[in-house]
Amino acid sequence: MERMENFILNKSQFGNNFLWGVSTAAFQTEGAHDTDDKGLSIWDVFTAQKGRIKNGHHAQDACNFYHNYKDDIQLIKQLNIPNFRFSLCWPRIIPQGTGKVSQSGIDYYNRVIDSQLQNGITPWATIYHWDLPHALELKGGWTNRDSVAWFAEYADVCARNFGDRVKNWMVMNEPSVFTGAGYFLGIHAPGRRGLGNFLSAVHHVTLSTAEGARAVRAAVPYANLGTTFSCTQITPASDKERHVAAAKRVDTLLNRAFIEPVLGMGYPEADLPVLKRMQRYMKPGDIERMSFDFDFTGIQCYTREVVRASFFTPYVGARLIAANKRNVATTEMGWEVYPPSIYHLIKRFDAYPQVKNIIITENGAAFPDTVVDGKVNDVKRTKYIYDHLQQLLKAKEEGARVNGYFVWSLTDNFEWAEGYHTRFGLVHVDFETQKRTIKQSGHWLAGFLKDN
Ligand code: IFM
Protein backbone atom coordinates (compact mmCIF):
# COMPACT_ATOMS: atom_id res chain seq x y z
CA MET A 1 0.00 0.00 0.00
CA GLU A 2 1.28 3.42 -0.98
CA ARG A 3 2.02 5.56 2.07
CA MET A 4 0.79 9.10 2.66
CA GLU A 5 4.14 10.71 3.13
CA ASN A 6 5.49 14.10 2.18
CA PHE A 7 2.07 15.69 2.25
CA ILE A 8 3.23 19.25 2.55
CA LEU A 9 0.42 21.28 0.95
CA ASN A 10 -1.05 23.85 3.25
CA LYS A 11 -4.44 25.50 3.00
CA SER A 12 -2.96 28.97 3.53
CA GLN A 13 -1.00 28.67 0.26
CA PHE A 14 -4.32 29.02 -1.58
CA GLY A 15 -5.16 32.34 0.13
CA ASN A 16 -7.82 33.34 2.66
CA ASN A 17 -10.55 33.87 0.08
CA PHE A 18 -10.15 30.53 -1.67
CA LEU A 19 -13.44 28.59 -1.66
CA TRP A 20 -13.39 24.99 -0.46
CA GLY A 21 -16.41 22.84 -1.10
CA VAL A 22 -17.99 19.52 -1.90
CA SER A 23 -20.50 18.74 -4.68
CA THR A 24 -23.47 16.43 -5.13
CA ALA A 25 -26.50 16.20 -7.43
CA ALA A 26 -30.18 15.58 -6.72
CA PHE A 27 -30.79 12.47 -8.81
CA GLN A 28 -27.59 10.81 -7.63
CA THR A 29 -28.33 11.25 -3.92
CA GLU A 30 -31.89 12.20 -2.99
CA GLY A 31 -33.92 9.05 -3.61
CA ALA A 32 -37.56 9.70 -2.60
CA HIS A 33 -38.35 9.31 -6.27
CA ASP A 34 -42.14 9.49 -5.87
CA THR A 35 -42.54 11.43 -2.65
CA ASP A 36 -45.48 13.85 -2.49
CA ASP A 37 -46.31 15.22 -5.92
CA LYS A 38 -42.85 14.91 -7.50
CA GLY A 39 -43.06 14.29 -11.25
CA LEU A 40 -41.02 11.72 -13.14
CA SER A 41 -37.67 12.78 -14.55
CA ILE A 42 -36.10 11.36 -17.70
CA TRP A 43 -33.71 9.50 -15.40
CA ASP A 44 -36.57 7.85 -13.47
CA VAL A 45 -37.84 6.53 -16.79
CA PHE A 46 -34.42 5.61 -18.20
CA THR A 47 -33.33 3.67 -15.10
CA ALA A 48 -36.58 1.67 -15.24
CA GLN A 49 -35.72 0.43 -18.75
CA LYS A 50 -34.04 -2.97 -18.93
CA GLY A 51 -30.32 -3.04 -19.67
CA ARG A 52 -29.71 0.69 -19.36
CA ILE A 53 -27.84 0.71 -16.03
CA LYS A 54 -25.12 -1.72 -14.91
CA ASN A 55 -26.44 -4.47 -12.66
CA GLY A 56 -29.98 -3.13 -13.13
CA HIS A 57 -29.41 -0.48 -10.46
CA HIS A 58 -31.87 2.38 -10.05
CA ALA A 59 -31.91 5.54 -7.95
CA GLN A 60 -35.30 5.27 -6.27
CA ASP A 61 -33.57 5.44 -2.88
CA ALA A 62 -29.99 6.39 -3.85
CA CYS A 63 -28.38 7.84 -0.67
CA ASN A 64 -31.78 8.78 0.71
CA PHE A 65 -30.46 12.33 1.08
CA TYR A 66 -34.08 13.48 0.90
CA HIS A 67 -34.61 12.07 4.40
CA ASN A 68 -30.99 12.05 5.61
CA TYR A 69 -30.11 15.60 4.61
CA LYS A 70 -29.66 16.81 8.20
CA ASP A 71 -27.15 14.08 9.02
CA ASP A 72 -25.33 14.49 5.71
CA ILE A 73 -25.03 18.24 6.30
CA GLN A 74 -23.58 17.41 9.73
CA LEU A 75 -21.00 15.28 7.92
CA ILE A 76 -20.04 18.27 5.74
CA LYS A 77 -19.58 20.28 8.93
CA GLN A 78 -17.55 17.50 10.50
CA LEU A 79 -15.30 17.51 7.41
CA ASN A 80 -14.71 21.29 7.93
CA ILE A 81 -16.03 21.96 4.41
CA PRO A 82 -17.55 25.47 4.27
CA ASN A 83 -19.39 25.30 0.91
CA PHE A 84 -21.91 22.74 -0.33
CA ARG A 85 -22.86 22.45 -4.01
CA PHE A 86 -26.11 20.54 -4.55
CA SER A 87 -28.66 20.53 -7.36
CA LEU A 88 -32.36 21.27 -7.51
CA CYS A 89 -34.59 18.61 -9.05
CA TRP A 90 -36.79 20.23 -11.69
CA PRO A 91 -39.72 17.72 -11.50
CA ARG A 92 -39.69 17.93 -7.68
CA ILE A 93 -40.23 21.70 -7.99
CA ILE A 94 -42.45 21.80 -11.10
CA PRO A 95 -43.76 18.23 -11.50
CA GLN A 96 -44.89 18.64 -15.11
CA GLY A 97 -41.94 20.88 -16.07
CA THR A 98 -44.03 24.02 -16.59
CA GLY A 99 -46.97 25.50 -14.76
CA LYS A 100 -47.95 24.39 -11.28
CA VAL A 101 -45.19 24.63 -8.68
CA SER A 102 -45.06 21.97 -5.97
CA GLN A 103 -45.17 23.50 -2.50
CA SER A 104 -43.76 20.30 -0.99
CA GLY A 105 -40.79 20.52 -3.39
CA ILE A 106 -40.16 24.13 -2.41
CA ASP A 107 -40.54 23.26 1.29
CA TYR A 108 -38.02 20.44 0.96
CA TYR A 109 -35.32 22.63 -0.58
CA ASN A 110 -36.07 25.33 1.98
CA ARG A 111 -35.32 22.78 4.70
CA VAL A 112 -32.09 21.72 2.97
CA ILE A 113 -30.94 25.32 2.51
CA ASP A 114 -31.90 26.39 6.04
CA SER A 115 -30.12 23.40 7.53
CA GLN A 116 -26.91 24.40 5.75
CA LEU A 117 -27.15 27.99 6.91
CA GLN A 118 -27.87 26.92 10.49
CA ASN A 119 -24.66 24.90 10.38
CA GLY A 120 -22.55 27.70 8.92
CA ILE A 121 -22.35 26.06 5.48
CA THR A 122 -22.80 28.21 2.37
CA PRO A 123 -25.23 26.79 -0.20
CA TRP A 124 -24.28 26.61 -3.92
CA ALA A 125 -27.26 25.60 -6.04
CA THR A 126 -27.06 24.02 -9.49
CA ILE A 127 -30.31 24.57 -11.34
CA TYR A 128 -29.98 21.69 -13.83
CA HIS A 129 -28.03 18.51 -13.19
CA TRP A 130 -29.60 16.28 -15.84
CA ASP A 131 -33.05 15.42 -14.41
CA LEU A 132 -35.35 16.90 -17.05
CA PRO A 133 -39.07 16.40 -16.31
CA HIS A 134 -40.32 13.40 -18.31
CA ALA A 135 -43.44 15.42 -19.24
CA LEU A 136 -41.17 17.77 -21.20
CA GLU A 137 -39.27 14.93 -22.86
CA LEU A 138 -42.62 13.78 -24.23
CA LYS A 139 -42.76 17.15 -25.99
CA GLY A 140 -39.26 16.70 -27.45
CA GLY A 141 -37.18 17.66 -24.40
CA TRP A 142 -34.08 19.70 -25.20
CA THR A 143 -34.56 19.12 -28.94
CA ASN A 144 -37.66 21.35 -28.79
CA ARG A 145 -36.87 25.07 -28.95
CA ASP A 146 -39.66 25.65 -26.40
CA SER A 147 -37.24 24.15 -23.86
CA VAL A 148 -35.58 27.56 -23.64
CA ALA A 149 -38.79 29.12 -22.29
CA TRP A 150 -39.52 26.10 -20.05
CA PHE A 151 -36.06 26.35 -18.53
CA ALA A 152 -36.22 30.13 -18.01
CA GLU A 153 -39.53 29.65 -16.16
CA TYR A 154 -37.99 26.97 -13.93
CA ALA A 155 -34.85 29.04 -13.24
CA ASP A 156 -37.05 31.98 -12.28
CA VAL A 157 -39.05 29.82 -9.83
CA CYS A 158 -35.81 28.60 -8.23
CA ALA A 159 -34.28 32.05 -7.95
CA ARG A 160 -37.42 33.68 -6.56
CA ASN A 161 -38.00 30.97 -3.96
CA PHE A 162 -34.45 30.43 -2.75
CA GLY A 163 -32.53 33.56 -3.79
CA ASP A 164 -33.10 35.31 -0.47
CA ARG A 165 -30.72 32.76 1.09
CA VAL A 166 -28.81 31.20 -1.81
CA LYS A 167 -26.30 33.66 -3.26
CA ASN A 168 -24.20 31.23 -5.32
CA TRP A 169 -25.83 29.77 -8.41
CA MET A 170 -24.78 27.52 -11.26
CA VAL A 171 -27.14 27.27 -14.21
CA MET A 172 -26.11 24.02 -15.95
CA ASN A 173 -24.02 21.01 -15.10
CA GLU A 174 -21.72 19.75 -17.87
CA PRO A 175 -23.83 20.35 -21.00
CA SER A 176 -21.36 18.44 -23.18
CA VAL A 177 -21.94 15.28 -21.17
CA PHE A 178 -25.72 15.27 -20.92
CA THR A 179 -26.20 16.26 -24.57
CA GLY A 180 -23.46 13.93 -25.85
CA ALA A 181 -24.37 10.88 -23.78
CA GLY A 182 -28.12 11.53 -23.72
CA TYR A 183 -28.84 12.80 -27.23
CA PHE A 184 -26.01 11.51 -29.44
CA LEU A 185 -24.77 8.22 -27.98
CA GLY A 186 -27.99 7.20 -26.23
CA ILE A 187 -26.17 5.84 -23.17
CA HIS A 188 -27.69 8.36 -20.73
CA ALA A 189 -31.27 9.56 -20.39
CA PRO A 190 -33.30 10.10 -22.46
CA GLY A 191 -31.41 7.54 -24.59
CA ARG A 192 -31.67 9.35 -27.90
CA ARG A 193 -29.13 9.09 -30.68
CA GLY A 194 -27.99 10.91 -33.77
CA LEU A 195 -26.62 14.20 -34.96
CA GLY A 196 -29.97 15.97 -35.33
CA ASN A 197 -30.98 15.24 -31.73
CA PHE A 198 -27.54 16.22 -30.50
CA LEU A 199 -27.12 19.52 -32.34
CA SER A 200 -30.62 20.74 -31.58
CA ALA A 201 -30.24 19.81 -27.91
CA VAL A 202 -26.85 21.56 -27.73
CA HIS A 203 -28.24 24.74 -29.22
CA HIS A 204 -31.28 24.87 -26.96
CA VAL A 205 -29.22 24.06 -23.87
CA THR A 206 -26.77 26.82 -24.79
CA LEU A 207 -29.58 29.34 -25.23
CA SER A 208 -31.12 28.11 -21.97
CA THR A 209 -27.86 28.62 -20.11
CA ALA A 210 -27.93 32.32 -20.92
CA GLU A 211 -31.70 32.72 -20.50
CA GLY A 212 -31.62 30.86 -17.17
CA ALA A 213 -28.79 33.11 -16.02
CA ARG A 214 -30.78 36.19 -16.98
CA ALA A 215 -33.74 34.89 -14.94
CA VAL A 216 -31.53 34.40 -11.88
CA ARG A 217 -29.88 37.80 -12.32
CA ALA A 218 -33.31 39.48 -12.49
CA ALA A 219 -34.55 37.81 -9.31
CA VAL A 220 -31.26 37.86 -7.35
CA PRO A 221 -29.33 40.90 -8.62
CA TYR A 222 -26.30 40.29 -6.39
CA ALA A 223 -26.04 36.57 -7.04
CA ASN A 224 -22.62 35.08 -7.66
CA LEU A 225 -23.63 33.49 -10.92
CA GLY A 226 -21.82 30.79 -12.88
CA THR A 227 -22.29 27.69 -14.96
CA THR A 228 -20.18 24.54 -15.22
CA PHE A 229 -18.38 22.75 -18.04
CA SER A 230 -16.81 19.31 -18.26
CA CYS A 231 -13.27 19.73 -19.62
CA THR A 232 -10.55 17.27 -20.49
CA GLN A 233 -7.05 17.82 -21.73
CA ILE A 234 -6.64 16.29 -25.19
CA THR A 235 -3.31 14.85 -26.28
CA PRO A 236 -2.63 13.59 -29.84
CA ALA A 237 -1.49 9.95 -30.06
CA SER A 238 1.72 11.15 -31.71
CA ASP A 239 2.99 14.28 -33.42
CA LYS A 240 1.85 12.96 -36.83
CA GLU A 241 -0.15 15.66 -38.56
CA ARG A 242 -3.35 13.60 -38.83
CA HIS A 243 -3.40 12.79 -35.10
CA VAL A 244 -2.69 16.41 -34.18
CA ALA A 245 -5.57 17.54 -36.42
CA ALA A 246 -7.85 14.86 -34.92
CA ALA A 247 -6.93 16.02 -31.41
CA LYS A 248 -7.80 19.58 -32.34
CA ARG A 249 -11.28 18.53 -33.50
CA VAL A 250 -11.95 16.57 -30.32
CA ASP A 251 -10.65 19.44 -28.22
CA THR A 252 -12.99 21.80 -30.08
CA LEU A 253 -15.95 19.52 -29.36
CA LEU A 254 -15.21 18.81 -25.71
CA ASN A 255 -13.54 21.99 -24.50
CA ARG A 256 -14.70 24.83 -26.73
CA ALA A 257 -18.09 24.17 -28.35
CA PHE A 258 -20.01 24.73 -25.13
CA ILE A 259 -18.21 27.62 -23.51
CA GLU A 260 -17.38 29.80 -26.52
CA PRO A 261 -20.99 30.60 -27.49
CA VAL A 262 -21.63 31.65 -23.88
CA LEU A 263 -18.59 33.93 -24.08
CA GLY A 264 -20.13 35.58 -27.16
CA MET A 265 -17.83 33.85 -29.65
CA GLY A 266 -20.41 31.69 -31.43
CA TYR A 267 -19.79 27.99 -32.18
CA PRO A 268 -16.18 27.18 -33.16
CA GLU A 269 -17.22 25.76 -36.54
CA ALA A 270 -13.95 26.66 -38.28
CA ASP A 271 -12.18 23.98 -36.21
CA LEU A 272 -15.03 21.45 -36.24
CA PRO A 273 -16.94 21.74 -39.53
CA VAL A 274 -19.89 19.58 -38.42
CA LEU A 275 -20.92 22.46 -36.16
CA LYS A 276 -21.88 24.38 -39.32
CA ARG A 277 -24.99 22.21 -39.33
CA MET A 278 -26.04 24.04 -36.17
CA GLN A 279 -27.31 26.78 -38.50
CA ARG A 280 -30.41 24.62 -39.04
CA TYR A 281 -31.48 25.33 -35.47
CA MET A 282 -30.36 28.93 -35.20
CA LYS A 283 -32.54 32.00 -35.55
CA PRO A 284 -31.52 35.61 -36.03
CA GLY A 285 -30.24 37.09 -32.77
CA ASP A 286 -29.27 33.71 -31.26
CA ILE A 287 -25.54 34.50 -31.21
CA GLU A 288 -26.20 37.48 -28.93
CA ARG A 289 -28.88 35.63 -26.95
CA MET A 290 -26.48 32.75 -26.17
CA SER A 291 -23.94 34.95 -24.46
CA PHE A 292 -23.93 35.90 -20.80
CA ASP A 293 -21.43 37.66 -18.59
CA PHE A 294 -21.00 35.08 -15.82
CA ASP A 295 -19.30 35.93 -12.52
CA PHE A 296 -17.49 32.61 -12.57
CA THR A 297 -16.86 29.62 -14.79
CA GLY A 298 -17.05 26.18 -13.22
CA ILE A 299 -14.53 23.69 -14.56
CA GLN A 300 -15.04 19.99 -13.89
CA CYS A 301 -11.99 17.95 -14.72
CA TYR A 302 -11.22 14.31 -14.00
CA THR A 303 -8.75 13.02 -16.58
CA ARG A 304 -7.26 13.53 -20.03
CA GLU A 305 -7.88 11.77 -23.33
CA VAL A 306 -5.39 10.59 -25.92
CA VAL A 307 -6.73 10.82 -29.47
CA ARG A 308 -5.89 9.35 -32.86
CA ALA A 309 -7.30 10.03 -36.31
CA SER A 310 -9.98 7.61 -37.49
CA PHE A 311 -11.75 7.60 -40.85
CA PHE A 312 -14.45 5.37 -39.40
CA THR A 313 -15.75 7.82 -36.81
CA PRO A 314 -18.29 10.15 -38.35
CA TYR A 315 -18.25 13.92 -37.82
CA VAL A 316 -15.03 14.16 -35.78
CA GLY A 317 -12.81 11.67 -37.62
CA ALA A 318 -11.10 10.76 -34.38
CA ARG A 319 -11.22 8.17 -31.66
CA LEU A 320 -10.10 8.03 -28.06
CA ILE A 321 -7.46 5.50 -27.06
CA ALA A 322 -8.76 3.92 -23.88
CA ALA A 323 -6.52 4.40 -20.86
CA ASN A 324 -6.32 0.63 -20.24
CA LYS A 325 -4.60 0.29 -23.65
CA ARG A 326 -1.98 2.86 -22.67
CA ASN A 327 -0.51 1.24 -19.58
CA VAL A 328 -1.30 4.15 -17.28
CA ALA A 329 -2.84 4.34 -13.82
CA THR A 330 -6.64 4.49 -13.97
CA THR A 331 -9.59 5.00 -11.68
CA GLU A 332 -12.51 2.60 -11.37
CA MET A 333 -14.17 4.53 -14.22
CA GLY A 334 -11.29 3.48 -16.48
CA TRP A 335 -10.14 7.11 -16.64
CA GLU A 336 -6.43 7.90 -16.64
CA VAL A 337 -5.13 9.50 -13.45
CA TYR A 338 -3.45 12.56 -14.90
CA PRO A 339 -3.32 15.58 -12.54
CA PRO A 340 -1.55 17.98 -14.99
CA SER A 341 -4.82 18.06 -16.97
CA ILE A 342 -6.35 20.39 -14.38
CA TYR A 343 -3.37 22.76 -14.61
CA HIS A 344 -3.58 22.98 -18.41
CA LEU A 345 -7.35 23.48 -18.41
CA ILE A 346 -7.21 26.25 -15.83
CA LYS A 347 -4.57 28.01 -17.94
CA ARG A 348 -6.67 27.50 -21.08
CA PHE A 349 -9.85 28.91 -19.60
CA ASP A 350 -7.97 31.69 -17.86
CA ALA A 351 -6.72 32.80 -21.28
CA TYR A 352 -10.27 33.79 -22.35
CA PRO A 353 -10.47 37.47 -21.42
CA GLN A 354 -14.24 37.14 -20.79
CA VAL A 355 -13.70 34.50 -18.05
CA LYS A 356 -13.56 36.47 -14.81
CA ASN A 357 -13.08 33.80 -12.23
CA ILE A 358 -12.61 30.03 -12.35
CA ILE A 359 -13.88 27.61 -9.75
CA ILE A 360 -13.20 23.90 -9.95
CA THR A 361 -16.77 22.84 -9.25
CA GLU A 362 -15.94 19.10 -9.47
CA ASN A 363 -12.85 16.93 -9.22
CA GLY A 364 -12.54 13.50 -7.67
CA ALA A 365 -12.07 9.82 -8.34
CA ALA A 366 -13.77 6.44 -8.05
CA PHE A 367 -11.76 3.64 -6.50
CA PRO A 368 -12.94 0.28 -5.14
CA ASP A 369 -13.39 1.10 -1.45
CA THR A 370 -14.19 -1.38 1.26
CA VAL A 371 -14.89 -0.90 4.94
CA VAL A 372 -12.44 -2.87 7.08
CA ASP A 373 -12.77 -2.62 10.88
CA GLY A 374 -14.93 0.48 10.46
CA LYS A 375 -12.37 2.24 8.26
CA VAL A 376 -11.92 2.92 4.54
CA ASN A 377 -8.27 3.34 3.70
CA ASP A 378 -8.64 5.12 0.34
CA VAL A 379 -5.07 6.29 -0.06
CA LYS A 380 -5.39 6.53 -3.84
CA ARG A 381 -8.26 9.02 -3.62
CA THR A 382 -6.41 11.16 -1.07
CA LYS A 383 -3.37 11.22 -3.32
CA TYR A 384 -5.53 11.99 -6.36
CA ILE A 385 -7.04 15.02 -4.62
CA TYR A 386 -3.70 16.14 -3.27
CA ASP A 387 -1.98 15.90 -6.65
CA HIS A 388 -4.77 17.86 -8.35
CA LEU A 389 -4.58 20.55 -5.67
CA GLN A 390 -0.86 20.83 -6.29
CA GLN A 391 -1.50 21.38 -10.01
CA LEU A 392 -4.24 23.91 -9.26
CA LEU A 393 -1.88 25.79 -6.95
CA LYS A 394 0.79 25.87 -9.65
CA ALA A 395 -1.68 27.54 -12.04
CA LYS A 396 -2.80 29.94 -9.32
CA GLU A 397 0.74 30.91 -8.41
CA GLU A 398 1.36 31.64 -12.10
CA GLY A 399 -1.47 34.16 -11.95
CA ALA A 400 -4.50 32.17 -13.16
CA ARG A 401 -7.77 33.44 -11.70
CA VAL A 402 -8.78 30.19 -10.03
CA ASN A 403 -10.45 30.70 -6.67
CA GLY A 404 -12.19 27.55 -5.55
CA TYR A 405 -12.11 23.75 -5.44
CA PHE A 406 -15.08 21.45 -4.83
CA VAL A 407 -14.56 17.70 -4.40
CA TRP A 408 -16.88 15.31 -6.21
CA SER A 409 -18.45 13.94 -4.08
CA LEU A 410 -19.66 14.04 -0.48
CA THR A 411 -21.00 10.50 -0.39
CA ASP A 412 -20.79 7.52 -2.71
CA ASN A 413 -23.84 7.83 -4.93
CA PHE A 414 -25.64 6.73 -8.08
CA GLU A 415 -23.09 7.14 -10.87
CA TRP A 416 -25.55 7.25 -13.78
CA ALA A 417 -25.11 4.33 -16.23
CA GLU A 418 -22.49 2.81 -13.89
CA GLY A 419 -24.95 2.45 -11.01
CA TYR A 420 -23.52 2.17 -7.48
CA HIS A 421 -20.41 0.22 -8.34
CA THR A 422 -18.16 3.27 -8.84
CA ARG A 423 -17.69 5.08 -5.56
CA PHE A 424 -16.63 8.74 -5.62
CA GLY A 425 -17.42 9.77 -2.04
CA LEU A 426 -15.32 11.20 0.76
CA VAL A 427 -17.87 9.25 2.78
CA HIS A 428 -18.61 5.58 2.14
CA VAL A 429 -22.26 4.54 1.89
CA ASP A 430 -23.47 1.02 2.57
CA PHE A 431 -26.45 1.07 0.21
CA GLU A 432 -28.16 -1.80 2.08
CA THR A 433 -28.23 0.00 5.42
CA GLN A 434 -27.47 3.63 4.39
CA LYS A 435 -24.66 3.62 6.95
CA ARG A 436 -22.07 6.33 6.37
CA THR A 437 -18.34 5.88 7.10
CA ILE A 438 -15.95 8.78 6.58
CA LYS A 439 -13.11 7.54 4.40
CA GLN A 440 -9.46 8.31 5.02
CA SER A 441 -9.66 10.95 2.22
CA GLY A 442 -12.44 12.68 4.17
CA HIS A 443 -10.37 12.64 7.36
CA TRP A 444 -7.38 13.99 5.45
CA LEU A 445 -9.43 16.82 3.92
CA ALA A 446 -10.96 17.67 7.30
CA GLY A 447 -7.46 18.04 8.76
CA PHE A 448 -6.27 20.05 5.78
CA LEU A 449 -9.22 22.46 6.01
CA LYS A 450 -9.14 22.82 9.77
CA ASP A 451 -8.65 26.44 10.78
CA ASN A 452 -5.48 26.92 12.76
O1 IFM B 1 -21.09 11.84 -11.20
C1 IFM B 1 -20.71 12.72 -12.20
C2 IFM B 1 -21.45 14.04 -12.05
O2 IFM B 1 -22.83 13.88 -12.06
C3 IFM B 1 -21.07 14.97 -13.18
N1 IFM B 1 -19.65 15.08 -13.29
C4 IFM B 1 -18.86 13.88 -13.32
C5 IFM B 1 -19.22 13.00 -12.15
C6 IFM B 1 -18.38 11.70 -12.18
O3 IFM B 1 -18.64 11.00 -13.35
Side-chain angles (χ1 to χ4, degrees), residues 357-374:
N357 180 19
I358 295 170
I359 296 178
I360 302 300
T361 37
E362 284 184 22
N363 172 247
F367 289 111
D369 304 315
T370 43
V371 183
V372 179
D373 298 334

Side-chain angles (χ1 to χ4, degrees), residues 235-249 307-309:
T235 308
S238 78
D239 55 9
K240 285 204 173 98
E241 208 179 311
R242 64 177 201 282
H243 297 319
V244 173
K248 188 169 181 182
R249 290 191 296 276
V307 164
R308 58 179 299 124

Side-chain angles (χ1 to χ4, degrees), residues 24-25 28 85 129-130 173-174 177 188 230 300-302 333 335 362 364-366 408-409 413-416 418 422 424:
T24 64
Q28 295 177 270
R85 173 176 176 245
H129 200 129
W130 307 359
N173 186 75
E174 297 182 351
V177 180
H188 276 191
S230 161
Q300 315 202 148
C301 167
Y302 289 85
M333 295 292 282
W335 298 342
E362 284 184 22
W408 182 269
S409 184
N413 57 51
F414 180 78
E415 178 55 25
W416 309 112
E418 302 298 315
T422 40
F424 276 89

Side-chain angles (χ1 to χ4, degrees), residues 62-81:
C63 309
N64 199 14
F65 180 84
Y66 185 91
H67 295 106
N68 279 334
Y69 72 91
K70 281 191 187 156
D71 290 345
D72 284 350
I73 288 168
Q74 286 305 316
L75 283 171
I76 301 174
K77 191 171 177 184
Q78 210 179 322
L79 294 176
N80 298 321
I81 299 175

Side-chain angles (χ1 to χ4, degrees), residues 91-121:
R92 199 182 288 290
I93 293 176
I94 310 180
Q96 297 306 308
T98 60
K100 192 170 180 300
V101 173
S102 158
Q103 193 53 47
S104 53
I106 299 288
D107 291 346
Y108 162 65
Y109 287 113
N110 277 334
R111 293 195 293 277
V112 171
I113 292 162
D114 291 345
S115 170
Q116 293 176 60
L117 294 171
Q118 280 151 16
N119 284 287
I121 292 163

Side-chain angles (χ1 to χ4, degrees), residues 104-164:
S104 53
I106 299 288
D107 291 346
Y108 162 65
Y109 287 113
N110 277 334
R111 293 195 293 277
V112 171
I113 292 162
D114 291 345
S115 170
Q116 293 176 60
L117 294 171
Q118 280 151 16
N119 284 287
I121 292 163
T122 305
W124 291 64
T126 307
I127 297 175
Y128 186 75
H129 200 129
W130 307 359
D131 37 8
L132 186 77
H134 176 61
L136 299 183
E137 174 59 19
L138 295 176
K139 297 179 190 167
W142 289 113
T143 67
N144 183 339
R145 195 174 165 102
D146 290 347
S147 57
V148 182
W150 302 332
F151 184 72
E153 176 190 331
Y154 163 55
D156 171 67
V157 168
C158 296
R160 278 188 299 103
N161 279 282
F162 311 125
D164 58 332

Side-chain angles (χ1 to χ4, degrees), residues 5-55:
E5 285 166 341
N6 305 320
F7 268 26
I8 49 155
L9 267 188
N10 186 316
K11 182 181 139 188
S12 64
Q13 292 167 288
F14 294 79
N16 290 339
N17 296 328
F18 195 82
L19 296 157
W20 297 98
V22 69
S23 295
T24 64
F27 190 79
Q28 295 177 270
T29 58
E30 283 178 359
H33 68 114
D34 59 357
T35 298
D36 297 325
D37 52 353
K38 177 184 167 290
L40 287 175
S41 79
I42 52 174
W43 273 95
D44 290 312
V45 174
F46 191 73
T47 47
Q49 292 166 1
K50 209 162 177 255
R52 295 292 202 181
I53 311 296
K54 266 192 196 156
N55 305 314

